[in-house]
């Protein structure tokens, strides 16, 4: 069964064709990052306009690269929540049009659920085993930080989420304060490699239970920078980047491990844009492996926004009988998974 996935929730226009929820036949991503870079972050109105310009050729490219005609597709999966409302509507309108004309089922996909499903993709890595539920997942992206217990395909319990900034958002805001460009995650990761993670003891940002909070850590870094600038003390940007990154990673690892142990899972899946961070992957891998838990982390191209993960999610939703009607609406906020 071939699923066409469409993703336009933020600043990537993406389309992909995936067979049986696992095998990626094509994965096309038109990134708008270079445009939004000029403004230091995503400008919603510009994002919508750029999606409109790109959606047609992105979908056509995904189909032609997969060697599939429009009629050869069995289902159309599209992100309908959460995200920028104008941006979501572009992908959804296109998907609805295709679904109506081709008479193929339409499946609305939750973007956060999509990130988790990136771990179902068969990347044909050596000795790789296909992930199947149950497992624990940590979704760390620019908009979300969710610790999720996956009972079965499409069946989730959200154990915790961020109370304020998402992990990626904290990276982006600190990068901006350090004079680095958007998106901040890769820039901080690069600099952190040259810095001392123990140079500044930033607070670990702990909250009760499995919820997260990164605004206190963010304020602490900003205060440190302001104080140093006012007193004329020299700032080592690599040291601040490394110390900030250490504080973020340690809380992500600590809470993930506690959740894995409490729920006695044997598998753990990292997801979202921040999951492409090598230091996080290594720290999480070491911690879960110590507990005898197996870890899955998608390749970086499937960690950041893409449509293969949406197609995979759509396939498993369809198998559960979840089909959307043409009055499917865009829901900007995350309500439920
Ligand atoms: O999943 P994603 O592409 O979009 C959302 O759904 O938000 O994630 C984008 C976020 C950005 O905040 C970006 O700074 C962060 O992921 N990110 C990283 C890295 N690569 C991307 N954060 C830390 N280290 C990275 N290597
Ligand atoms: Zn995302």
């Amino acid at each position: 069964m071939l699923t066409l996935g469409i993703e336009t929730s933020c600043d990537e226009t993406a389309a992909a064709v995936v067979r049986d929820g696992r095998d990626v036949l094509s994965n096309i991503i038109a990134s708008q990052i270079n445009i939004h870079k000029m403004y230091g972050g995503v400008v919603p109105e510009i994002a919508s306009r750029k999606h409109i310009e790109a959606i047609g050729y992105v979908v056509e490219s995904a189909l032609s690269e997969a060697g599939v005609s429009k009629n050869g597709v069995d289902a159309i999966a599209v992100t309908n929540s959460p995200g920028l409302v104008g941006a979501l509507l572009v992908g959804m309108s296109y998907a609805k049009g295709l679904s109506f004309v081709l008479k193929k089922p339409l499946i609305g996909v939750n973007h956060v659920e999509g990130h988790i499903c990136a771990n179902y993709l068969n990347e044909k890595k050596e000795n790789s085993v296909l992930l199947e539920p149950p497992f624990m997942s940590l979704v760390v992206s620019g908009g979300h930080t969710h610790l999720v217990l996956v009972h079965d395909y499409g069946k989730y319990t959200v154990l915790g989420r961020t109370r304020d900034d998402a992990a990626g958002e904290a990276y982006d805001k600190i990068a901006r304060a350090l004079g680095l460009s958007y998106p901040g995650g890769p820039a901080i990761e690069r600099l952190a490699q040259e810095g001392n993670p123990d140079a500044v003891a930033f607070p670990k940002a702990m909250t009760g239970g499995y919820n997260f909070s990164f605004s206190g850590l963010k304020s602490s870094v900003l205060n440190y920078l302001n104080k140093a600038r006012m007193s004329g003390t020299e700032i080592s940007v690599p040291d601040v980047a490394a110390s900030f990154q250490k504080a973020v990673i340690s809380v992500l690892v600590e809470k993930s491990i506690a959740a894995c142990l409490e729920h006695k899972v044997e598998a753990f899946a990292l997801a979202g844009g921040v999951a492409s961070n090598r230091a996080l992957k290594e720290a999480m891998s070491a911690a879960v492996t110590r507990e005898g838990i197996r870890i899955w982390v998608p390749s970086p191209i499937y960690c950041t926004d893409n449509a293969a993960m949406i197609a995979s999610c759509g396939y498993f939703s369809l198998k559960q009988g979840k089909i959307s009607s043409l009055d499917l609406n865009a829901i900007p906020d995350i309500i439920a998974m």
Side-chain angles (χ1 to χ4, degrees), residues 27 37 110 204:
N27 185 41
K37 240 182 196 154
N110 177 297
K204 237 191 331 183

Side-chain angles (χ1 to χ4, degrees), residues 2-40:
L2 298 179
T3 310
L4 169 68
I6 297 179
E7 154 66 40
T8 61
S9 69
C10 192
D11 58 349
E12 331 275 359
T13 316
V17 178
V18 174
R19 179 183 288 131
D20 296 336
R22 299 278 188 182
D23 293 319
V24 182
L25 304 190
S26 64
N27 185 41
I28 307 293
I29 304 168
S31 176
Q32 307 174 358
I33 281 183
N34 285 335
I35 299 158
H36 298 291
K37 240 182 196 154
M38 291 190 276
Y39 306 97

Side-chain angles (χ1 to χ4, degrees), residues 182-268:
Y182 173 84
I188 291 198
E189 173 170 30
R190 255 191 318 275
L191 273 173
Q193 285 164 5
E194 301 151 28
N196 172 10
D198 299 314
V200 193
F202 292 126
K204 237 191 331 183
M206 293 303 274
T207 51
Y210 294 124
N211 286 325
F212 299 91
S213 165
F214 294 103
S215 66
L217 169 62
K218 180 187 67 188
S219 303
S220 169
V221 178
L222 296 180
N223 286 342
Y224 173 86
L225 294 175
N226 285 340
K227 265 193 206 156
R229 279 171 190 148
M230 273 158 53
S231 63
T233 315
E234 202 187 318
I235 298 165
S236 159
V237 176
D239 281 356
V240 173
S243 302
F244 160 77
Q245 178 162 278
K246 182 183 172 183
V248 173
I249 291 176
S250 68
V251 69
L252 293 176
V253 171
E254 220 167 283
K255 295 213 176 203
S256 299
I257 294 295
C260 286
L261 296 181
E262 185 190 336
H263 294 276
K264 300 185 176 55
V265 293
E266 289 171 9
F268 181 84

Side-chain angles (χ1 to χ4, degrees), residues 57-80:
Y57 75 76
V58 167
V59 170
E60 293 294 337
S61 307
L63 291 169
S64 78
E65 197 175 301
V68 182
S69 69
K70 283 195 183 83
N71 265 310
V73 164
D74 298 298
I76 297 152
V78 63
T79 307
N80 77 303

Side-chain angles (χ1 to χ4, degrees), residues 111 115 141-143 168 171-172 183-186 189 272-274 276-277 303-305:
H111 182 82
H115 272 300
S141 71
Y171 267 93
D172 293 338
E189 173 170 30
V274 185
S276 53
N277 183 289
C303 285
T304 45
D305 288 349

